[in-house]
Amino acid sequence: MISEFSYKNMENMNFIKSFYPEITEQNILNSEAGKLCIIINYAIIYYNDSMKKVYDLISKKDINTLEKCHKVIEEEIKKETENFIKNSEFYKDKKLYLYFFNPKHRIKSIISTNLSLKKPECSFVLVTQEGKDKNFLNVSARNQSMSTDMNQLMKQAIQGLNNANGGGHVAAAGARFMKKD
């Protein structure tokens, strides 16, 4: 509920507060629970979505390995965020940032979310070639102010493309399409 922002739903926030009464929407990501979510999420990213591997680390209480995974992913996010700042294209009239990159791990969603939280009035579209199938590009689109509907933007962007899919929510969406398109 924390890492995917469903805590913004009052029922979910009340559930979280039943375990962590001090949590508010403003401090949730920096809370003990928020930090644990980030560590676990980064381990999942590090192990390429191997929930079993991460579950085993948690079961064994192997905090050192979880923290090592966290450090590797955190460093890559920092490096790629710096690269975004240097190399992204900005379309002032649309308040749109566009950036293509090839990260080692699947971090585009985290970066697009982090950037959009810092500049909620802007749209961020990050494109990567990741995964085993190098014939596809993957997109993460964010606009925290919801002034642009990212779900509709992704659906329009892939309309008419073969083997493409996409969708999401007003503030956050994604897409996947063939590189040749």
Side-chain angles (χ1 to χ4, degrees), residues 136-159:
F136 284 88
L137 296 177
N138 298 285
V139 180
S140 179
R142 301 288 186 270
N143 181 294
Q144 297 301 323
S145 71
M146 296 188 253
S147 59
T148 301
D149 186 333
M150 296 290 102
N151 181 41
Q152 288 303 312
L153 181 66
M154 292 297 97
K155 287 182 178 185
Q156 290 172 1
I158 63 168
Q159 190 172 10

Side-chain angles (χ1 to χ4, degrees), residues 95-125:
K95 295 183 183 177
L96 169 70
Y97 286 92
L98 181 62
Y99 183 56
F100 178 85
F101 67 120
N102 285 309
K104 181 176 180 184
H105 297 95
R106 294 181 180 188
I107 58 172
K108 74 180 171 317
S109 179
I110 293 169
I111 294 173
S112 63
T113 298
N114 289 346
L115 292 166
S116 69
L117 289 169
K118 291 177 183 172
K119 289 188 173 186
E121 72 284 358
C122 292
S123 296
F124 294 84
V125 177

Side-chain angles (χ1 to χ4, degrees), residues 65-129:
T65 301
L66 290 169
E67 287 178 345
K68 286 177 187 174
C69 296
H70 176 261
K71 183 178 179 183
V72 168
I73 300 302
E74 191 172 63
E75 287 175 1
E76 185 176 8
I77 290 168
K78 181 180 177 187
K79 180 187 102 185
E80 292 297 349
T81 300
E82 289 169 359
N83 288 338
F84 169 89
I85 292 166
K86 293 178 199 168
N87 302 314
S88 63
E89 298 174 38
F90 181 62
Y91 300 89
K92 189 175 182 177
D93 59 322
K94 302 275 187 203
K95 295 183 183 177
L96 169 70
Y97 286 92
L98 181 62
Y99 183 56
F100 178 85
F101 67 120
N102 285 309
K104 181 176 180 184
H105 297 95
R106 294 181 180 188
I107 58 172
K108 74 180 171 317
S109 179
I110 293 169
I111 294 173
S112 63
T113 298
N114 289 346
L115 292 166
S116 69
L117 289 169
K118 291 177 183 172
K119 289 188 173 186
E121 72 284 358
C122 292
S123 296
F124 294 84
V125 177
L126 278 65
V127 182
T128 62
Q129 180 180 312

